[in-house]
């Protein structure tokens, strides 16, 4: 497998990353209809990029995915976004992004990384070390409340 390079996103990449998010989101048939009916659901706030919480995954210099983390009120971190080009799924890109976000969260003092995951991604998150805590209502269905401990 080729090396996945993960780096901070730049503000100039906002549009490219949103288009990638569209491709990845629309590739899930369970989300397609709701997203097409509500295009406002796809947005990557420039403030998140400016704050340094958005990370891009590259393979051979091409952007193949991105992830975003946010601080939580409890001192931990939230994986706020994780999207990979559908043609590059199952190539380690998502896992590389998760591991990078875990490392960044650890450096900021977080003891755990939380995510509200799409049910179709439960297996991926479990394989990355997340545990299911419960569910929560979301705009377009049910989200999975998941958490991964971040040992020092």
């Amino acid at each position: 497998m080729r090396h996945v390079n993960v780096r901070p996103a730049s503000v100039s990449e906002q549009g490219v990353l949103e288009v990638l998010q569209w491709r990845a989101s629309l590739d899930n048939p369970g989300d397609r209809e709701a997203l097409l009916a509500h295009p406002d659901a796809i947005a990557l706030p420039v403030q998140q990029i400016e704050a340094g919480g958005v990370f891009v995954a590259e393979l051979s210099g091409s952007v193949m995915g991105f992830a975003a983390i946010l601080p939580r009120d409890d001192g931990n971190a939230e994986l706020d976004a994780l999207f990979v080009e559908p043609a590059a799924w199952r190539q380690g890109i998502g896992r590389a992004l998760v591991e990078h976000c875990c490392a960044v969260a650890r450096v900021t003092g977080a003891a755990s990384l939380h995510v509200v995951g799409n049910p179709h991604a439960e297996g991926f998150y479990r394989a990355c070390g997340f545990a299911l805590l419960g569910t929560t209502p979301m705009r377009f269905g049910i989200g999975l409340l998941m958490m991964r401990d971040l040992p020092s």
Side-chain angles (χ1 to χ4, degrees), residues 41 121 145:
L145 297 171

Side-chain angles (χ1 to χ4, degrees), residues 41-110:
I42 301 287
L44 177 59
V46 71
Q47 297 85 354
Q48 268 187 292
I49 299 170
E50 290 172 337
V54 180
F55 307 98
V56 171
E58 294 178 322
L59 274 178
S60 303
S62 296
V63 173
M64 300 306 286
F66 76 94
I69 58 173
L70 294 171
R72 289 171 41 113
D73 291 340
D74 63 5
N76 292 310
E78 185 84 24
L79 184 60
D80 184 52
L82 178 64
F83 298 96
V84 174
E85 286 287 358
W89 287 353
R90 299 190 179 277
Q91 295 182 25
I93 297 164
R95 183 179 293 274
L97 284 163
V98 167
E99 293 305 323
H100 185 83
C101 289
C102 286
V104 170
R106 240 188 323 270
V107 167
T108 65

Side-chain angles (χ1 to χ4, degrees), residues 116 135-145:
V116 178
T135 61
T136 187
M138 300 294 293
R139 183 174 177 188
F140 303 125
I142 298 295
L144 304 178
L145 297 171

